[in-house]
Structures are given as structure tokens and as C-alpha cells.
Amino acid sequence: MSLDWYAIQTYSGSEQAVKRAIENLVKEYQIGDRLKEIVVPTEDIIDVSKKTKNKVTEQSLYPGYVFIKVDLDTALWHRIQSLPKVARFIGESKKPTPLGEADINHILEKVKNRAAPKPKISFESGEVVRIVEGPFANFTATVEEYDIEHRKLKLNVSIFGRNTPIEILYSQVEKIV
């Protein structure tokens, strides 16, 4: 039995549905010995809007992809391929091609070592933002650095015509549209 990792392309947003469909297929045909693992890599996203008050949600790291470790033959390939919301297996000349060891190790490393929740809004260096809370409320500032891990921004605020560096939580600023 040869267990290899394969990438299945799905309709975007349907990764979990495809994972459940594959699990049901395994139960129905009693082929649990041929399927080792199904992975949908996700990351946590934190929504810092005033309405949701730091709501954490999961978001796919690779939208539109499910990864499986399976002993794949033609019959099983066609069964999985015909599941709803499955577009195709990734491979050359319309045949599934196993993923390389380095590629799948990189993906699995991201699954094991989940990073701290990322904000839904990201900031770029040099971007102009408006401060909405704190002693500098209603000031505009330029983003110098963005520290995702500590949820802080390093900004340059112009006070009396002089640039002043400050550090502030990213929940205390809003993007200027």
C-alpha cells in the first residue's frame, strides 16, 4: 500500500464540505485503511470592529484546496472526483500527481504551529490611518511598522508640525478610505 499526499481543488469556501464528503465516502465504502489523513489548513482571523468586539473566525490558508494522504487507485480517484464541490485533483496530464515531501511538510508545519490570530484588516508601511481612540483620537498618522504578534502599530503622528512616533493597538485606528 502506497500512501501519498494529494491536493484536491474544490470550489472556494467548500473545503470543509468536501472534507466531510470524503469522510462519508470512506465510511460508506469501508476504505478507512486506504485513507490516512484529510487536512484543510486554516488560520485564525480576528475581527476588531466595534460591532463584533474581537470575534475570532477560521479562514482557509489555501482557499479552494483540500489535502489527503491516501492509497489512490483509479476507482477511488473517480469516486472522490465525482463528489459535489470537487473540481479536480491537481496533477499532470489530467492524472493526480502526489505532492512533493518538501511541499506537504511546509503545509503540515503551518497546521501544527498555528500563528496568533491575524487581524481581518492589515496595514502597510507608509499607509495613512485615523486614530479613533486614546489621547491622539482624531489625528491622522502614517504607519511605520505593523506588529501582528503584539497587535500593535508603530505610527508617526504630526503634532505641532513635528513627527512624533507612537505605539498603539491596531484596534484603535481605522483605515482612511
Side-chain angles (χ1 to χ4, degrees):
M1 186 161 66
S2 169
L3 290 171
D4 290 312
W5 281 99
Y6 294 91
I8 301 172
Q9 189 174 20
T10 68
Y11 298 155
S12 191
S14 302
E15 300 86 5
Q16 293 296 337
V18 169
K19 179 181 178 182
R20 286 190 300 276
I22 294 170
E23 289 168 346
N24 291 336
L25 183 101
V26 167
K27 287 178 190 170
E28 183 181 335
Y29 290 98
Q30 299 174 352
I31 52 174
D33 58 324
R34 295 184 53 203
L35 181 82
K36 176 89 172 166
E37 200 171 347
I38 306 170
V39 176
V40 178
T42 59
E43 64 183 343
D44 291 330
I45 302 293
I46 188 165
D47 188 355
V48 293
S49 70
K50 295 205 187 258
K51 293 177 190 169
T52 58
K53 292 189 180 177
N54 295 347
K55 180 181 175 190
V56 177
T57 58
E58 268 192 347
Q59 177 178 303
S60 182
L61 272 173
Y62 301 97
Y65 290 95
V66 173
F67 303 94
I68 62 171
K69 187 171 188 176
V70 64
D71 177 24
L72 194 67
D73 62 7
T74 307
L76 183 56
W77 168 35
H78 288 295
R79 280 191 189 125
I80 294 172
Q81 184 92 20
S82 65
L83 289 172
K85 300 179 181 179
V86 171
R88 65 186 180 99
F89 274 83
I90 302 301
E92 297 174 16
S93 67
K94 297 185 181 182
K95 291 182 104 180
T97 303
L99 294 171
E101 200 67 33
D103 295 331
I104 194 62
N105 286 339
H106 178 72
I107 292 166
L108 293 175
E109 187 66 30
K110 286 185 175 182
V111 170
K112 284 181 200 164
N113 301 326
R114 288 176 75 117
K118 289 183 180 177
K120 195 171 188 175
I121 300 171
S122 62
F123 299 95
E124 301 294 324
S125 187
E127 185 175 9
V128 179
V129 295
R130 179 179 294 113
I131 301 170
V132 293
E133 288 179 19
F136 299 103
N138 298 323
F139 277 80
T140 57
T142 307
V143 177
E144 293 297 316
E145 252 182 72
Y146 181 38
D147 186 359
I148 293 174
E149 204 171 299
H150 296 103
R151 302 178 181 179
K152 290 189 176 185
L153 289 168
K154 288 186 181 173
L155 305 173
N156 253 337
V157 180
S158 179
I159 302 172
F160 303 120
R162 190 171 182 182
N163 279 342
T164 306
I166 64 166
E167 212 173 85
I168 193 167
L169 294 174
Y170 62 76
S171 60
Q172 295 177 302
V173 300
E174 67 182 9
K175 286 190 172 202
I176 298 176
V177 182

